[in-house]
Amino acid sequence: MTKHSSITKKLLILLLVLAICTIASSIVYAGTITLSLGSYDSQIYNQGTLNIPVTVTCSNISGNVDVTLTPKSGLGCSTCTISKTFTGATNEQQTATFTLTATQTGTYNPPFISIGAISGSTQATALTSGSQVVVVEQPTWTKDLTVSSSSIT
């Protein structure tokens, strides 16, 4: 074996090792987003508000995650999309709290059509079930005063 072919082999091995290291360093772990629903009130008054907390758990997601709630008819939200920022770590958690306003009495089971989250091309499995909320009219109280002249005490 000549000295020239030995150097060529060593260079080829070095290039192969560099290529493998480059490929390995460019592998990106797939990011995940999961959603879980917190607890919320089961009854509110018409024109009242309801806070719905959603825990967003991300792994390998760096940047903004947009969490969107679509309310059922009769309920509304002034801010239906909330952005949360993640650093790319594993199992990072943040809470997005949506405030719904009741505009119509009724039973809503659940009070939303869906809650979803997205970051780039990574999406969470949407939440479509939750606890029931009943919207009722706020009670009104009246007091009648009567005066009787037949007795004085």
Side-chain angles (χ1 to χ4, degrees):
M1 181 182 264
T2 66
K3 186 176 181 181
H4 181 64
S5 66
S6 174
I7 291 175
T8 303
K9 284 183 182 181
K10 287 179 183 177
L11 282 174
L12 286 174
I13 291 171
L14 180 62
L15 286 173
L16 182 61
V17 169
L18 285 173
I20 291 171
C21 289
T22 302
I23 291 169
S25 69
S26 68
I27 294 174
V28 177
Y29 294 102
T32 59
I33 305 170
T34 56
L35 301 175
S36 59
L37 193 58
S39 60
Y40 48 87
D41 293 336
S42 60
Q43 180 175 316
I44 61 170
Y45 293 127
N46 194 15
Q47 304 306 314
T49 58
L50 172 71
N51 290 325
I52 299 182
V54 179
T55 301
V56 183
T57 304
C58 291
S59 291
N60 303 316
I61 298 289
S62 183
N64 286 340
V65 173
D66 292 331
V67 187
T68 302
L69 181 145
T70 304
K72 286 199 173 166
S73 179
L75 301 169
C77 51
S78 59
T79 303
C80 295
T81 297
I82 298 172
S83 289
K84 294 293 183 178
T85 303
F86 291 85
T87 65
T90 302
N91 291 324
E92 282 184 88
Q93 287 190 340
Q94 293 193 39
T95 300
T97 301
F98 295 93
T99 301
L100 299 183
T101 301
T103 59
Q104 186 177 340
T105 60
T107 300
Y108 302 90
N109 191 13
F112 51 86
I113 296 169
S114 67
I115 302 171
I118 188 166
S119 177
S121 62
T122 305
Q123 292 186 38
T125 300
L127 299 175
T128 57
S129 62
S131 300
Q132 173 178 290
V133 172
V134 178
V135 178
V136 297
E137 288 295 342
Q138 188 164 1
T140 56
W141 301 97
T142 59
K143 187 170 185 177
D144 292 330
L145 297 176
T146 58
V147 177
S148 171
S149 61
S150 61
S151 66
I152 300 176
T153 49

